[in-house]
Amino acid sequence: MPTLYQDPRSGNCYKVILTAAHLGLQIKTIDIDVTSGLTRKPEFLSKNPNGRVPLFELDDGRLLPESNAIIWYLAEGSPLIPADRFARAQMLQWMFFEQYSHEPYIAVARFWLTFVSKEQLRAKEHLIPEWHAKGNAALGVMEGHLKKNDWFAADHFSLADIALYAYTHCAEEGGFDLKSYPAVGDWLARVAATRGFVKMGKAV
Amino acid sequence: MPTLYQDPRSGNCYKVILTAAHLGLQIKTIDIDVTSGLTRKPEFLSKNPNGRVPLFELDDGRLLPESNAIIWYLAEGSPLIPADRFARAQMLQWMFFEQYSHEPYIAVARFWLTFVSKEQLRAKEHLIPEWHAKGNAALGVMEGHLKKNDWFAADHFSLADIALYAYTHCAEEGGFDLKSYPAVGDWLARVAATRGFVKMGKAV
């Protein structure tokens, strides 16, 4: 059975869990606490030189890091990847948007405000206004799209929705006010009603 | 003819130029100076609410932002996207690595050290050590891969090489020392010898 090295509190890891659950795939999970420093130790670095989870290990030992690449691999040939060429590119557009314009502010604010001690937070505290400004800009871009569309690409549930759900649904843990984004709220409910949906931190 | 809205100094825009040139595709370019603030004005935001170049416009008016999604769209069906499922996922792995672990440090250091006034730089100066530490970490991960492989995925030139070439070849403008990464240097020369290669800032 393929193995997911994950921290169950990580939205990037949760994307893999959501994709596997939706597709009915069985995967084994090995939990790693990212705050322990284990992902920067030689044993883990020999598996992923970039020192991050999620890391996906196939039955034959081949290794694949990067959350959005892992869910692409799992979903190939399924309706989670649109059949139309332009819609497929739009799905990737939102997945790159998630990693560049969304995660570095929304996930990072949640991490520092929720998972580290107040003492450790002090060194990063001056960055909170920038995280909130840029995270709210990303939520605003999503709100604008979701006012006119039920899903991010191809008029149906796809990997773009899974990628963006992972850290949006728990954005309030990073100090964001989701009530200001009603179309995002409606979309979060639509995603939570999809086949096989599991909450964050649950096993597949 | 499809249109690329670009700043010719932007590596993200250069990826689209490189892909089109390699594939022999004709595209029109419209230059926008990102330091002018034009990409955050209503006229441009109506085309890309995320306010960034590159932005690609098809003949029928459909719009696609995000550099790595645009080059995916252009390259579908060509050898720039590996035919093997796992190799395709590995290509995407490196493209997400580029946007998350490479561009935010290497491209951002180059932008602030090369394209803005010394006065404007002063507000960001304290970030230079972090940009250099994380950018060198990314170059180290690339060096480790390229010591054992000629290309990033599938043992041949792919979109992963184009995505990573764009800001690596000019990393010295951001204060990085490429002489410390000899395998990266050899790979840069291999990319520059591929079919249709054009230098940054040239028309297709």
Side-chain angles (χ1 to χ4, degrees):
Chain A
M1 201 182 293
T3 302
L4 172 67
Y5 296 85
Q6 67 152 2
D7 187 319
R9 305 166 300 178
S10 149
N12 283 327
C13 298
Y14 180 41
K15 295 173 194 174
V16 183
I17 299 288
L18 278 175
T19 305
H22 184 79
L23 296 172
L25 306 173
Q26 297 294 316
I27 60 175
K28 196 172 80 181
T29 54
I30 293 179
D31 290 353
I32 294 179
D33 178 350
V34 293
T35 61
S36 71
L38 268 182
T39 56
R40 308 293 163 125
K41 290 275 162 62
E43 196 190 332
F44 189 84
L45 289 173
S46 72
K47 287 180 178 282
N48 179 12
N50 202 28
R52 296 178 198 278
V53 288
L55 175 67
F56 196 69
E57 187 166 12
L58 273 61
D59 286 338
D60 62 10
R62 282 183 295 175
L63 294 155
L64 186 64
E66 296 291 338
S67 57
N68 288 347
I70 299 168
I71 63 176
W72 174 284
Y73 177 79
L74 292 177
E76 280 227 25
S78 85
L80 286 178
I81 298 180
D84 173 71
R85 177 184 173 191
F86 189 73
R88 203 159 41 239
Q90 285 183 305
M91 182 191 81
L92 284 169
Q93 167 211 322
W94 286 108
M95 292 166 76
F96 283 107
F97 165 86
E98 187 267 330
Q99 283 288 284
Y100 192 84
S101 299
H102 182 290
E103 205 268 10
Y105 311 110
I106 296 176
V108 168
R110 171 178 173 262
F111 178 81
W112 287 98
L113 292 171
T114 306
F115 298 117
V116 302
S117 68
K118 276 192 184 160
E119 246 170 51
Q120 289 172 292
L121 174 62
R122 211 160 295 148
K124 296 278 180 178
E125 223 156 25
H126 64 287
L127 295 171
I128 296 176
E130 190 190 346
W131 294 337
H132 283 168
K134 293 189 174 171
N136 277 306
L139 291 168
V141 170
M142 292 171 67
E143 179 75 8
H145 178 83
L146 292 168
K147 273 185 184 162
K148 291 176 282 183
N149 303 275
D150 281 353
W151 306 102
F152 279 99
D155 291 327
H156 65 71
F157 182 56
S158 78
L159 295 182
D161 301 289
I162 289 177
L164 283 162
Y165 183 86
Y167 284 111
T168 303
H169 87 284
C170 56
E172 295 194 331
E173 293 175 15
F176 295 92
D177 179 15
L178 289 179
K179 282 191 287 300
S180 311
Y181 305 99
V184 170
D186 291 347
W187 164 80
L188 288 172
R190 278 193 293 279
V191 174
T194 53
R195 187 185 69 204
F197 177 84
V198 286
K199 287 192 177 174
M200 198 174 197
K202 307 265 178 197
V204 179
Chain B
M1 200 182 292
T3 302
L4 172 67
Y5 296 86
Q6 68 152 359
D7 187 321
R9 304 166 301 178
S10 150
N12 283 326
C13 298
Y14 180 42
K15 294 173 193 175
V16 183
I17 299 287
L18 278 175
T19 304
H22 184 78
L23 296 171
L25 306 173
Q26 297 295 315
I27 59 174
K28 195 173 81 182
T29 54
I30 292 179
D31 290 355
I32 295 180
D33 178 350
V34 294
T35 61
S36 70
L38 268 183
T39 58
R40 308 294 162 125
K41 290 275 162 66
E43 196 191 331
F44 189 83
L45 289 173
S46 72
K47 287 178 179 282
N48 180 12
N50 203 29
R52 296 177 198 279
V53 289
L55 174 68
F56 196 69
E57 187 167 9
L58 273 63
D59 285 337
D60 62 9
R62 282 184 294 175
L63 293 155
L64 187 64
E66 295 294 336
S67 58
N68 288 347
I70 299 167
I71 63 176
W72 174 283
Y73 178 78
L74 293 178
E76 279 228 26
S78 85
L80 286 179
I81 299 180
D84 173 72
R85 177 183 173 191
F86 189 73
R88 202 157 44 236
Q90 285 183 305
M91 181 191 82
L92 284 169
Q93 167 211 323
W94 286 107
M95 292 166 78
F96 283 107
F97 165 87
E98 187 268 327
Q99 283 289 283
Y100 192 85
S101 299
H102 182 289
E103 203 270 11
Y105 310 110
I106 295 177
V108 168
R110 171 176 173 264
F111 178 81
W112 287 98
L113 292 171
T114 307
F115 298 118
V116 301
S117 68
K118 275 191 184 159
E119 246 168 52
Q120 288 172 295
L121 173 61
R122 211 160 293 147
K124 296 278 180 178
E125 222 157 27
H126 64 288
L127 295 171
I128 295 175
E130 189 190 346
W131 294 338
H132 283 167
K134 294 189 173 172
N136 277 306
L139 291 167
V141 170
M142 291 170 67
E143 179 75 9
H145 179 84
L146 292 168
K147 272 183 187 164
K148 291 176 282 182
N149 303 274
D150 281 353
W151 306 102
F152 279 99
D155 291 328
H156 64 71
F157 182 55
S158 78
L159 294 182
D161 301 289
I162 289 176
L164 283 162
Y165 184 85
Y167 284 111
T168 303
H169 86 284
C170 54
E172 296 194 331
E173 293 176 14
F176 295 92
D177 179 16
L178 289 177
K179 281 190 288 297
S180 311
Y181 305 99
V184 170
D186 291 348
W187 163 80
L188 289 173
R190 278 193 294 280
V191 173
T194 54
R195 186 185 68 203
F197 177 82
V198 285
K199 287 193 176 172
M200 198 173 198
K202 306 265 178 198
V204 178

